[in-house]
Structure formats: structure tokens, C-alpha cells
């Protein structure tokens, strides 16, 4: 199991635009379609990564809780499905339904969106403010498969709560750790 860290896109970076197909609704979606009134969480995930499988219950719970408060959520998979067929769009749709995602699960067929966000791993989390400026990037919490630390979502939760309260988010942020994005060969 590879342990690839986030690249840590500079804070304040404007969220790159995208237009990708939602594997559940099969509709094209842009950043403006998923943007929350108060903030937006963009997650790079995939179906097969043990790190993502580990955090799925927490990301579903956080989305349900924070979407009601004005935070938009979206997940994007950018993996090479030729070499990793378990991440194919039709299986993404199944994963979204099985995990109870209340957010779109988009497929980045060209990997251009992952490159624009400087995404490196799955899961990779980005929180943008109401003006779509990067306020947080990094880990969900300290839990990893097999490390015995329970899932809490604490790092991302603290950032979202601070954003909602208009408080400063600490720039001392830990990178996420996960499987590397499966780039085209």
C-alpha cells in the first residue's frame, strides 16, 4: 500500500474551473454547480484505494452535516481506468450509492483537473472559502488503515467550522496520505 502525501497547493489559490461528468446523474457539472454558499470541499478519491475505503463513512457523514450549513461537497476520481478498471465510472456510480454520497462523484477522464489542483493522492482534501480561495488542504484526520486511531474528521471539521464562523484557519496543516493518483502511462 503506497503512502503518497498531498502536494499542498498554496493557500489562497483560486479553485480551478472544471466541467466533468457526474457518474451518478450522468450530467456534466461545473465548479459553479457544486459551489457552496459559504465554502466548498473538493475531494480527490477513487473506488479501490484502502485509504479512501477507510474514510468513506466519515466523508459521507461530514457532507450530510456540513451541506446543511452551506458547504458544498464534490468528489473527483482521476485514476487511469484502463490499468485500474475497478475505478471505472460505472463502478464509481455503484460506490456512490453504496456509500450514501450526498454529493456528486465526478470522473476526470483526462486527468487535467487533478493536475490543475496539483492533486497527488487519494484521498486529497481541499476546502475553498465563499470566494473560492483555498483555505485548507490536507488530511481528514490522523486515522489511517491499521493505525488504530479512530476516524474523527477532526482536521477538516475544524477548518470548516472556522470558515463558517469567519475565524482564521491555522496555516499549520498536515498533508493527506494515501494511494498515489494512477496517472496515465
Amino acid at each position: 500500500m503506497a503512502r503518497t502525501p498531498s502536494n499542498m497547493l498554496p493557500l489562497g489559490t483560486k479553485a480551478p474551473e472544471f466541467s466533468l461528468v457526474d457518474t451518478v446523474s450522468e450530467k456534466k457539472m461545473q465548479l459553479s454547480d457544486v459551489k457552496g454558499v459559504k465554502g466548498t470541499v473538493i475531494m480527490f478519491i477513487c473506488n479501490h484505494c484502502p485509504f479512501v475505503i477507510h474514510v468513506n463513512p466519515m466523508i459521507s457523514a461530514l457532507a450530510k452535516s456540513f451541506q446543511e450549513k452551506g458547504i458544498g461537497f464534490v468528489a473527483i476520481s482521476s485514476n487511469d481506468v484502463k490499468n485500474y478498471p475497478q475505478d471505472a465510472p460505472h463502478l464509481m456510480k455503484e460506490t456512490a450509492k453504496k456509500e450514501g454520497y450526498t454529493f456528486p462523484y465526478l470522473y476526470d477522464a483526462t486527468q487535467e483537473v487533478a493536475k490543475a489542483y496539483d492533486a497527488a493522492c487519494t484521498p486529497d482534501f481541499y476546502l475553498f472559502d465563499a470566494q473560492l480561495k483555498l483555505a485548507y488542504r490536507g488530511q481528514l484526520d490522523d486515522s489511517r488503515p491499521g493505525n488504530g486511531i479512530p476516524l474523527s474528521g477532526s482536521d477538516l471539521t475544524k477548518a470548516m467550522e472556522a470558515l463558517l464562523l469567519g475565524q482564521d484557519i491555522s496555516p499549520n496543516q498536515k498533508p493527506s496520505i494515501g494511494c498515489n493518483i494512477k496517472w496515465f502511462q
Side-chain angles (χ1 to χ4, degrees):
M1 187 163 50
R3 296 178 62 88
T4 301
S6 300
N7 285 332
M8 304 300 276
L9 190 65
L11 295 172
T13 298
K14 181 95 166 145
E17 292 291 335
F18 56 77
S19 180
L20 299 171
V21 174
D22 174 24
T23 59
V24 178
S25 69
E26 299 178 7
K27 294 180 181 168
K28 260 212 170 173
M29 302 194 89
Q30 285 79 35
L31 179 58
S32 59
D33 297 321
V34 300
K35 179 184 182 291
V37 175
K38 298 183 179 176
T40 306
V41 171
I42 297 176
M43 305 171 277
F44 286 85
I45 65 171
C46 69
N47 295 340
H48 84 277
C49 172
F51 292 89
V52 175
I53 292 166
H54 179 71
V55 301
N56 264 329
M58 185 55 64
I59 63 175
S60 291
L62 289 177
K64 287 175 187 158
S65 174
F66 282 89
Q67 284 170 320
E68 297 171 358
K69 299 173 183 176
I71 304 279
F73 277 74
V74 65
I76 300 171
S77 178
S78 301
N79 278 358
D80 170 5
V81 298
K82 181 178 173 212
N83 290 306
Y84 296 87
Q86 62 270 49
D87 291 329
H90 71 283
L91 297 174
M92 291 169 60
K93 182 176 187 173
E94 288 178 18
T95 297
K97 289 181 176 181
K98 182 181 87 161
E99 296 297 336
Y101 292 171
T102 56
F103 46 84
Y105 190 10
L106 311 179
Y107 178 54
D108 178 16
T110 66
Q111 300 185 326
E112 291 304 313
V113 177
K115 290 174 185 170
Y117 281 80
D118 201 18
C121 62
T122 58
D124 218 346
F125 298 94
Y126 301 80
L127 172 64
F128 294 89
D129 65 17
Q131 290 74 44
L132 293 172
K133 291 206 182 331
L134 186 62
Y136 176 84
R137 76 287 193 246
Q139 69 176 11
L140 181 68
D141 58 31
D142 288 323
S143 183
R144 305 286 185 267
N147 76 356
I149 299 172
L151 276 171
S152 66
S154 60
D155 290 48
L156 182 57
T157 298
K158 285 178 196 167
M160 289 188 293
E161 287 173 345
L163 184 70
L164 291 171
L165 294 170
Q167 298 172 344
D168 289 337
I169 297 171
S170 171
N172 185 16
Q173 301 169 5
K174 293 181 188 175
S176 188
I177 301 284
C179 300
N180 63 300
I181 290 179
K182 307 307 183 209
W183 302 105
F184 298 135
Q185 312 227 338

